[in-house]
Every structure is written in structure tokens, then in C-alpha cells.
């Protein structure tokens, strides 16, 4: 009897334990930047309640630098408002959660069009990334305070292949459409890479961060987007330096069956395309998820039970791809524009909450992520 | 390796211009709303339009509540009136416009909500418990906003949309009697069409304000589709389409070549979809005709 119990326990242990190359289980909370003070602490507790040990944090450049700093490389320049981001990073660190940054949203003073989705002037973005990486290098202490925790992983921009985040995407040359975004973004990444590594030699600079566009627009209108594959191909011509590539995957259908690009079934195509940019580059899936009700930005939805089941399936499939280092579930909580949360808008838990918490407990990130 | 091609279900709502004689189409369909899900087949789509060309659409499926979507702003943006992903969420039952205000009746069992959305405003929701069993319909004119057919009452709704229709004074219509049961309702202008199950037969009645009721059709099988619009009524029984204008008894009209999937009527014109094939491979053929 004892032996059979031990055998069952062993089998269970094998079933529930993570594969050796399981991707890091991470969670994004896009609402966290809406809170300060005590409400921020409560929000951080809510995030910690999911058992996640890694989270992706939005660094909204436009909010941190509403006016042009006189010395933009210096993180202590008075034009910068780091207070909320400092609180977030310290709060995460005290809860044992590793942060990774994604910075975007161009301030008006760095934007050729004044809009926040405009491709920023390279010198301005380079100087800001330097200030950001310096401040969170692990050695920087604001006046009269303890050193800030290190944030080693920095994504350069968010979904630069979509005009909502990065514009323009293209220009017309006679009858031809020239996709300018990959080249312009490559230059941005090159500058950011140099500045971040100068501030923190251990930093990991994540490029691409491409959104889930499967095909490039056939016209060059203001809402034209560039497919992830076209974007990577465009970057490959420029060969910008990067330490990892990030891709966002929102499958239409189950993770095992959805066959559109980008999806888990087609990740091999992503790997092959990436090899032309940087052979063997690790893949960070920094956004994935399923919406559980319809919203005008995401017209595809699944049931809450499907979301839970497919969350499990997502991490199982990711574990079979050794190059996929992290999978960030997007999002912690529903909002009017995003209904893919683990929590509903009224803060009640969806079935996916417990699944995520269980996975996060069973798959602690490797030491390289928590150092 | 052959990739699976079917990973989700969808409902597409498109508009297309009518030809000059208004019995055909001019131009290509323009897609307005698309609703996609993996939960299950999208079984029923409901639509309402107003004189300004705004569209209100809902698409339920077996075992899940579909969203209610309003379309569109001048920039082509849609607005979500209702979407609830929780298990057991109330389903959209009926849609209507009251002027430019979109209204949706949502719920299940006795728990119902009327949702209202002004094109530029936020969603207003009013929950209530219905006194009678379904079906319910939400009106698109000032005549009525909701019908509770168990007692065949039509509460009038001539005042602000913010008032609860169920609390307004009721206008009583003669019901189908103890041997009849209203199973479905449609509204247009001051007309209410009721489908009644009586013993082994199905009957279609026309109610008009204030107190008249008239039998339009008696059939031995359940009508596949019923439409009311522009003072006309059309009913598909089997493959035969019956129609009439002005409250007259329905006359036999054109015969569909396959199953009638949907039917619409507007004054002298009617249109219907015929379904070819089954399941995911089903295709629709649109036919148009005149009301007799």
C-alpha cells in the first residue's frame, strides 16, 4: 500500500512539476500605472496574490517626462517624474516580484507630430533609455533614499508594427508602398541598446515587441500596420543589436489549433525569421491571452472556462519551445478595452485566476531572473 | 501536415446599397460588425436599424450570451452596449431603437434588464423582474417598449427612456385564451405580431392599438421565420412564404428552393435567405420578392 501511494505521489509529481525548460510564468497589469500611494500598495498586493514572480511594467515616457529635461541622460533631472515608477519597482521588489520594463509613448517635445504614437527623435529616446537604465541599474540611489532595485530587462517600445503605438508605418513612393517603420525602429533599438548597456552592462535589451498583425496593410493609410514577419524581415536588413526578441501572440482559437500567424502553431516561422535577424535569439512572448467578452478592440472572445483551459495549454505548449523564455499573460484585470483579465472588472476571480496562480507556484522563475 | 482551418465561429453584419428599383443590390457589401468566438456556433443574430442608418446587432450562441454592438460613429467606431462573459450571463432577447437611442432587452428567466445607449453616451441599465414568462420583445416606437405576453399586456412608453417601462400604465390586449400560448412576438410601428401555439396548430395574430386583434394565418407547422415592417407581414411556413399588407389575411407567395434561414419585409418588398448545406459548410443565398 505504502509503495503504491509513493508511486501515485511520484506520478502526480511528474504530472504537476514543470518541464526543465518551462517558460517563465509572468503577468502584466496595465492598470498599475493608474494608482499611487495606498491604492498602489493594494494593487501590488492584488498582483502578488496571483503568485506571479515576474511582471511586465509599462514605462510611459510621456508621463515621466512631460517637459524636456535639460540633462536628459541624468535620471535626477528635475524634469523627470519617477515617483510612481519608483514606488512600483520598490513595491514589486518587496513582494519578491521581478519587473521587466516596456517603455513607449512619445512625449510631445520628442514627437515630430506631437502625438504620443509618433516615432520619437532618436537622440531623445536614446537619452531617456540611458536615464531609465541608470536609475534602475541597482546602484542608483535617489537623494536621501536607499538604492532602487535593479530592473534588468527592458523592452524597447511596444508593438512598433502597429500605428496605434508607432507611426508612421510607411510612405508612398510613386505607386509603391515603402514600409519605413522597421528601419526607423531598428535605429531606435540600436541607440537604446547602446545607451542601456552603457548604464548597465548586465541589462537585457529586448527588441521587436511586435504586435499580432498577420498581414501588412495593402494601402498606406494612417491606420496601416506591418505584419510581424514583414517587420522582422525589415529589421533583419538593418541588423540592430538585441539580446532577445519579443512577440505578442493572441491566437484566434485554442493554442494548439489556431493556425494564423502569429500563433503557437506557427512559432517555428517566427524562429526561422528571427534567425535571419539574430541566430538563436531567445523569444519573449510578452503578451498573450484570451478575452472573455466582446470589446470593440478585440472582437474575438472565448468562455471563461475556455480561457482557463487555454491558459494551461499556452504554458504547456510554450514549454515545448526551448527558445521561448517567458510568457506574459495579459492581463490582471478586465477593463472596458480589455477583457482578457484573470479578474473581472468587479474584482471577482475568473476560473483562470486559480489556474494561473497554480502554474506560477509550480514554475518559479530560474535564478537568472530573480538575481 | 494539414492545418485545421476551423478554429472559431463568427457572425458578420454587412450593409449593401439597394439598386434603383430597390429589388436588387448596387455595389459591394460593406462589413460593419464582426463577432468572433470559439465558445460555440453563433446560432442566432438579431438586428435593429434606425432611420439614421445606425445598426444594433446581437449574436447569441448555444450556451452563451452574445454581445450587443452599436454601429457606428462617423469615424466607423462601434460601441459595445452589452457583453458579459460570465457563465449564465443574460442573453440579448430583443433589440430596438427609440430615435437614436439604442435599447436592448437582456436577461434570462424572470430577471431582465433594459440597456439603453445614446450614441455618444454611456450605457444605462435598468434591472427588473418580469411578471410573466418569456418571450419578450422591446419595441422600436413610442407605442410600446416591452410586452409580457403571458397576460398579453403592452405597457405604453411615451415618456422619457429613463423611466422603467414595466412601471408605466399597461394597455391591455385580448390574449390568446386559455388554449393558446404566445411563443413569439414582433413589433413595427403601432403593430404587434404574435405567434400563438394552439393545440397542434400555429397561428399568427396582428394586434393594433388600442384593442384590436386579427388572425392572419393558421398553419399546421411552426413558422420558420416571421417578419414585420412598413405595414406588411411575411411568414415562412416550410418553404412557402405568405405575405400581406395593411392587416389583411396572409396570401401564399413565392416558394423558396431550400430552407428559409431569415426573412425581412418592408412595405411592398421582402427578402429572404435560403440556406444551402449544413453546419460549418452552410452557405446562404439571398432572394428578393414583392409582397402580394
Amino acid at each position: 500500500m505504502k509503495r503504491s501511494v509513493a508511486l501515485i505521489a511520484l506520478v502526480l509529481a511528474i504530472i504537476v512539476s514543470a518541464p526543465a525548460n518551462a517558460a517563465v510564468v509572468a503577468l502584466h497589469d496595465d492598470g498599475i500605472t493608474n494608482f499611487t500611494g495606498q491604492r498602489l500598495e493594494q494593487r501590488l498586493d492584488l498582483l502578488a496574490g496571483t503568485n506571479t514572480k515576474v511582471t511586465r511594467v509599462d514605462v510611459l515616457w510621456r508621463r515621466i517626462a512631460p517637459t524636456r529635461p535639460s540633462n536628459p541622460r541624468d535620471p535626477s533631472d528635475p524634469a523627470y517624474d519617477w515617483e510612481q515608477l519608483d514606488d512600483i519597482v520598490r513595491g514589486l521588489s518587496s513582494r519578491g516580484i521581478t519587473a521587466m520594463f516596456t517603455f513607449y509613448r512619445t512625449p510631445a517635445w520628442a514627437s515630430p507630430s506631437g502625438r504620443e504614437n509618433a516615432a520619437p527623435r532618436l537622440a531623445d529616446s536614446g537619452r531617456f533609455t540611458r536615464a531609465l537604465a541608470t536609475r534602475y541599474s541597482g546602484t542608483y540611489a535617489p537623494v536621501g533614499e536607499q538604492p532602487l532595485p535593479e530592473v534588468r530587462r527592458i523592452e524597447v517600445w511596444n508593438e512598433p508594427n502597429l500605428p496605434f503605438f508607432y507611426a508612421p508605418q510607411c510612405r508612398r513612393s510613386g505607386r509603391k508602398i515603402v514600409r519605413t517603420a522597421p528601419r526607423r525602429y531598428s535605429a531606435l533599438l540600436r541607440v537604446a541598446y547602446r545607451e542601456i548597456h552603457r548604464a548597465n552592462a548586465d541589462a537585457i535589451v529586448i527588441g521587436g515587441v511586435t504586435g499580432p498583425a498577420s498581414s501588412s496593410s495593402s494601402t498606406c493609410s494612417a491606420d496601416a500596420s506591418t505584419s510581424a514577419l514583414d517587420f522582422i524581415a525589415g529589421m533583419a536588413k538593418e541588423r540592430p543589436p538585441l539580446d532577445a526578441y519579443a512577440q505578442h501572440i493572441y491566437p484566434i482559437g485554442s493554442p494548439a489549433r489556431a493556425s494564423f500567424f502569429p500563433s503557437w502553431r506557427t512559432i517555428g516561422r517566427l524562429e526561422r525569421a528571427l534567425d535571419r535577424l539574430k541566430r538563436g535569439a531567445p523569444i519573449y512572448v510578452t503578451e498573450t491571452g484570451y478575452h472573455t467578452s466582446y470589446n470593440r478592440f478585440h472582437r474575438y472572445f472565448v468562455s471563461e472556462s475556455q480561457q482557463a483551459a487555454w491558459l494551461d495549454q499556452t504554458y504547456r505548449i510554450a514549454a515545448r519551445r526551448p527558445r521561448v523564455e517567458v510568457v506574459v499573460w495579459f492581463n490582471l484585470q478586465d477593463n472596458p478595452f480589455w477583457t482578457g483579465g484573470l479578474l473581472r472588472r468587479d474584482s471577482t476571480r475568473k476560473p483562470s485566476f486559480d489556474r494561473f496562480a497554480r502554474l506560477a507556484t509550480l514554475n518559479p522563475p530560474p535564478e537568472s531572473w530573480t538575481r | 501536415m494539414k492545418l485545421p482551418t476551423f478554429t472559431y465561429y463568427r457572425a458578420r453584419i454587412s450593409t449593401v446599397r439597394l439598386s434603383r428599383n430597390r429589388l436588387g443590390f448596387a455595389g459591394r457589401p460593406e462589413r460593419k460588425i464582426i463577432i468572433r468566438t470559439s465558445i460555440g456556433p453563433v446560432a442566432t443574430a438579431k438586428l435593429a436599424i434606425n432611420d439614421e442608418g445606425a445598426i444594433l446587432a446581437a449574436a447569441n450562441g448555444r450556451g452563451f450570451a452574445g454581445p450587443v454592438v452599436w454601429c457606428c460613429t462617423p469615424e466607423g467606431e462601434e460601441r459595445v452596449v452589452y457583453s458579459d462573459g460570465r457563465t449564465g450571463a443574460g442573453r440579448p432577447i430583443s433589440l430596438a431603437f427609440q430615435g437614436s437611442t439604442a435599447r436592448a432587452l437582456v436577461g434570462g428567466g424572470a430577471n431582465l434588464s433594459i440597456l439603453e445607449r445614446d450614441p455618444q453616451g454611456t450605457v444605462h441599465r435598468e434591472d427588473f423582474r418580469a411578471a410573466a414568462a418569456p418571450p419578450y420583445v422591446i419595441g422600436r416606437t413610442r407605442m410600446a417598449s416591452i410586452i409580457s405576453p403571458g397576460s398579453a399586456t403592452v405597457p405604453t412608453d411615451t415618456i422619457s427612456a429613463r423611466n422603467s417601462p414595466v412601471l408605466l400604465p399597461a394597455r391591455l390586449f385580448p390574449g390568446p385564451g386559455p388554449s393558446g400560448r404566445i411563443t413569439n412576438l414582433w413589433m413595427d410601428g403601432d403593430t404587434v405580431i404574435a405567434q400563438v401555439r394552439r393545440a397542434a396548430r400555429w397561428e399568427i395574430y396582428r394586434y393594433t392599438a388600442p384593442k384590436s386583434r386579427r388572425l392572419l394565418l393558421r398553419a399546421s407547422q411552426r413558422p420558420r421565420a416571421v417578419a414585420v415592417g412598413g405595414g406588411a407581414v411575411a411568414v415562412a411556413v416550410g418553404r412557402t412564404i405568405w405575405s400581406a399588407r395593411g392587416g389583411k389575411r396572409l396570401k401564399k407567395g413565392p416558394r423558396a428552393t431550400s430552407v428559409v434561414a431569415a426573412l425581412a419585409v418592408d412595405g411592398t418588398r421582402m427578402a429572404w435567405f435560403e440556406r444551402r448545406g449544413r453546419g460549418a459548410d452552410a452557405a446562404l443565398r439571398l432572394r428578393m420578392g414583392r409582397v402580394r
Side-chain angles (χ1 to χ4, degrees):
Chain A
M1 180 65 186
K2 223 175 194 177
R3 197 174 157 188
S4 62
V5 169
L7 191 65
I8 291 167
L10 177 69
V11 170
L12 281 175
I14 291 168
I15 290 168
V16 299
S17 67
N21 56 351
V24 170
V25 177
L27 180 63
H28 191 120
D29 176 16
D30 73 343
I32 208 161
T33 52
N34 298 327
F35 299 99
T36 54
Q38 189 55 37
R39 291 186 67 206
L40 174 62
E41 292 300 316
Q42 289 167 357
R43 189 74 185 183
L44 289 165
D45 287 340
L46 195 64
L47 182 66
T50 66
N51 299 341
T52 190
K53 293 294 169 215
V54 176
T55 190
R56 180 172 179 249
V57 178
D58 292 308
V59 176
L60 307 175
W61 181 14
R62 196 180 183 96
R63 198 187 284 181
I64 289 168
T67 54
R68 182 188 285 277
S70 52
N71 186 3
R73 280 199 176 94
D74 179 3
S76 60
D77 189 290
Y80 284 128
D81 179 4
W82 301 102
E83 190 180 345
Q84 187 199 39
L85 192 59
D86 286 354
D87 289 346
I88 291 172
V89 172
R90 284 193 203 277
L92 290 170
S93 178
S94 69
R95 288 165 178 82
I97 300 173
T98 301
M100 55 190 289
F101 281 157
T102 176
F103 91 92
Y104 60 104
R105 283 201 187 161
T106 311
W109 54 265
S111 166
S113 66
R115 294 190 182 144
E116 63 183 21
N117 67 337
R121 293 187 190 94
L122 289 181
D124 291 329
S125 60
R127 290 172 192 137
F128 175 71
T129 49
R130 176 71 164 270
L132 179 71
T134 303
R135 191 168 185 93
Y136 301 101
S137 61
T139 57
Y140 179 87
V143 178
E145 294 179 31
Q146 294 287 313
L148 285 158
E150 181 186 20
V151 178
R152 191 173 288 176
R153 290 172 175 80
I154 300 177
E155 281 186 317
V156 177
W157 222 254
N158 182 59
E159 300 190 344
N161 60 324
L162 305 182
F164 186 76
F165 293 104
Y166 197 77
Q169 286 287 313
C170 51
R171 68 175 165 80
R172 287 191 164 281
S173 173
R175 286 191 165 185
K176 257 179 74 177
I177 295 171
V178 182
R179 302 197 188 284
T180 53
R183 186 173 182 190
R184 198 184 291 255
Y185 174 77
S186 297
L188 170 73
L189 179 57
R190 190 182 303 280
V191 171
Y193 187 93
R194 186 186 67 215
E195 296 290 339
I196 291 169
H197 275 284
R198 277 183 187 163
N200 181 358
D202 296 332
I204 294 168
V205 179
I206 305 147
V209 206
T210 31
S214 56
S215 58
S216 297
S217 304
S218 55
T219 59
C220 189
S221 57
D223 59 354
S225 55
T226 308
S227 79
L229 283 178
D230 285 348
F231 201 86
I232 295 167
M235 284 178 71
K237 288 180 192 161
E238 305 297 322
R239 294 245 165 206
L242 52 86
D243 300 316
Y245 189 91
Q247 175 65 48
H248 298 169
I249 294 178
Y250 290 100
I252 296 179
S254 79
R257 292 193 66 199
S259 52
F260 300 97
F261 184 89
S263 63
W264 294 102
R265 279 187 79 105
T266 58
I267 208 153
R269 283 173 69 190
L270 175 70
E271 289 174 347
R272 288 191 292 278
L274 272 184
D275 281 342
R276 288 192 281 276
L277 174 59
K278 182 178 179 179
R279 179 163 286 280
I283 296 171
Y284 285 28
V285 176
T286 50
E287 283 188 28
T288 192
Y290 287 96
H291 297 269
T292 56
S293 59
Y294 182 97
N295 65 80
R296 73 182 170 102
F297 299 101
H298 303 91
R299 293 158 157 184
Y300 169 71
F301 62 100
V302 303
S303 69
E304 291 187 353
S305 56
Q306 273 175 329
Q307 186 201 39
W310 292 357
L311 184 149
D312 264 344
Q313 213 179 93
T314 295
Y315 282 98
R316 268 207 309 276
I317 290 171
R320 289 187 220 132
R321 312 296 309 203
R323 280 175 73 173
V324 177
E325 207 170 290
V326 61
V327 177
V328 183
W329 190 263
F330 199 100
N331 197 4
L332 173 64
Q333 187 168 19
D334 286 358
N335 62 55
F337 310 109
W338 201 275
T339 57
L342 304 177
L343 298 167
R344 304 183 189 99
R345 282 176 77 184
D346 61 6
S347 296
T348 54
R349 294 179 178 187
K350 296 182 192 175
S352 54
F353 185 97
D354 291 338
R355 301 280 186 106
F356 182 89
R358 182 175 153 274
L359 273 172
T361 307
L362 291 170
N363 297 274
E367 203 184 317
S368 59
W369 277 77
T370 54
R371 264 192 313 223
Chain B
M1 182 179 63
K2 192 180 176 214
L3 290 175
T5 54
F6 194 73
T7 53
Y8 67 93
Y9 304 89
R10 69 185 170 195
R12 284 191 299 194
I13 289 98
S14 304
T15 57
V16 61
R17 284 190 168 282
L18 285 172
S19 61
R20 193 172 287 178
N21 67 4
R22 303 174 76 82
L23 282 173
F25 295 124
R28 296 173 65 83
E30 185 187 347
R31 191 179 302 165
K32 292 289 188 182
I33 301 170
I34 182 162
I35 296 167
R36 303 185 293 192
T37 184
S38 284
I39 303 174
V42 179
T44 56
K46 295 175 191 297
L47 279 175
I49 54 171
N50 71 0
D51 295 338
E52 296 154 8
I55 300 170
L56 195 60
N60 285 321
R62 213 172 299 143
F64 69 93
V68 179
V69 184
W70 176 92
C71 176
C72 284
T73 64
E75 294 76 36
E77 289 177 0
E78 63 197 48
R79 301 270 188 261
V80 180
V81 177
Y82 172 79
S83 186
D84 190 340
R86 289 174 298 179
T87 309
R91 294 165 172 237
I93 296 167
S94 181
L95 310 176
F97 276 102
Q98 188 131 9
S100 61
T101 303
R103 310 178 84 189
L105 179 65
V106 172
N111 297 313
L112 298 172
S113 303
I114 291 181
L115 308 174
E116 292 173 346
R117 169 153 210 164
D118 185 78
Q120 302 305 327
T122 54
V123 177
H124 169 79
R125 179 185 183 119
E126 190 153 10
D127 297 321
F128 62 96
R129 286 187 70 79
Y136 308 96
V137 67
I138 192 163
R140 74 180 183 89
T141 72
R142 65 186 180 82
M143 175 201 169
S145 62
I146 183 168
I147 295 172
S148 53
S151 57
T153 57
V154 181
T156 55
D157 180 24
T158 55
I159 59 170
S160 162
R162 287 282 173 272
N163 286 298
S164 170
V166 286
L167 298 178
L168 295 173
R171 189 179 282 174
L172 239 81
F173 282 74
S179 64
R181 182 169 55 88
I182 295 178
T183 58
N184 218 334
L185 290 160
W186 296 264
M187 294 186 71
D188 180 60
D190 285 353
T191 305
V192 175
I193 300 296
Q195 177 179 282
V196 173
R197 173 78 160 147
R198 192 188 300 281
R201 282 196 301 243
W202 295 87
E203 296 170 342
I204 301 291
Y205 285 96
R206 178 179 189 261
Y207 290 84
T208 46
K211 279 192 171 180
S212 75
R213 184 188 72 170
R214 182 169 188 167
L215 179 67
L216 298 183
L217 182 72
R218 183 172 283 144
S220 57
Q221 55 180 303
R222 185 182 187 136
R224 281 202 155 270
V226 176
V228 51
V233 178
V235 178
V237 181
R239 293 184 183 181
T240 304
I241 298 169
W242 301 69
S243 63
R245 299 183 67 203
K248 292 178 192 154
R249 217 173 153 116
L250 304 189
K251 290 180 188 168
K252 200 185 252 190
R255 189 170 164 78
T257 52
S258 58
V259 174
V260 176
L263 179 65
V265 66
D266 182 21
T268 57
R269 300 166 296 137
M270 60 178 171
W272 65 98
F273 274 119
E274 296 178 8
R275 191 173 65 220
R276 306 281 172 89
R278 294 183 69 82
D281 298 326
L284 292 173
R285 180 188 173 205
L286 181 65
R287 291 186 62 191
M288 300 179 93
R290 285 195 181 278
V291 175
R292 297 191 58 167

